């Protein structure tokens, strides 16, 4: 789990600089393995090209959540 935190901390600012990314967190991927979950407004080809599926052995999953607004 510490490796996942390290990768998240290293890349989070880069991912959040993309206006389509609304959140970056740690959780279980759809395959049931721990990894980094990147929430985006809409999954596009550009997003898929910019965000890899794995970094340093840590799985990265992109999830389409739409825009997140505080209540």
């Amino acid at each position: 789990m510490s490796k996942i935190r390290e990768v998240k901390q290293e890349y989070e600012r880069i991912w959040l600089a993309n206006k389509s990314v609304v959140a970056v967190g740690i959780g279980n991927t759809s395959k049931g393995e721990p990894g980094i979950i990147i929430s985006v407004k809409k999954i596009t080809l550009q997003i898929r090209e910019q965000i890899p599926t794995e970094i340093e052995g840590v799985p990265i999953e992109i999830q389409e959540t739409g825009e997140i607004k505080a209540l």
Side-chain angles (χ1 to χ4, degrees):
M1 191 60 90
S2 63
K3 182 64 172 176
I4 296 171
R5 279 189 225 113
E6 288 174 21
V7 171
K8 178 183 179 280
Q9 185 176 7
E10 185 174 341
Y11 291 92
E12 185 172 28
R13 287 185 189 169
I14 296 167
W15 293 325
L16 289 172
N18 184 318
K19 62 183 177 182
S20 294
V21 175
V22 294
V24 177
I26 296 173
N28 287 331
T29 66
S30 59
K31 294 180 181 178
E33 58 189 356
I36 297 173
I37 310 298
I38 300 177
S39 301
V40 298
K41 294 176 188 175
K42 183 174 173 111
I43 295 176
T44 63
L45 180 58
Q46 181 183 23
I47 289 289
R48 292 222 181 262
E49 290 174 346
Q50 292 175 349
I51 300 173
T53 57
E54 184 179 297
I55 294 179
E56 298 178 31
V58 175
I60 310 293
E61 183 169 294
I62 302 168
Q63 295 180 353
E64 186 173 317
T65 58
E67 193 166 336
I68 297 175
K69 296 181 183 180
L71 297 176

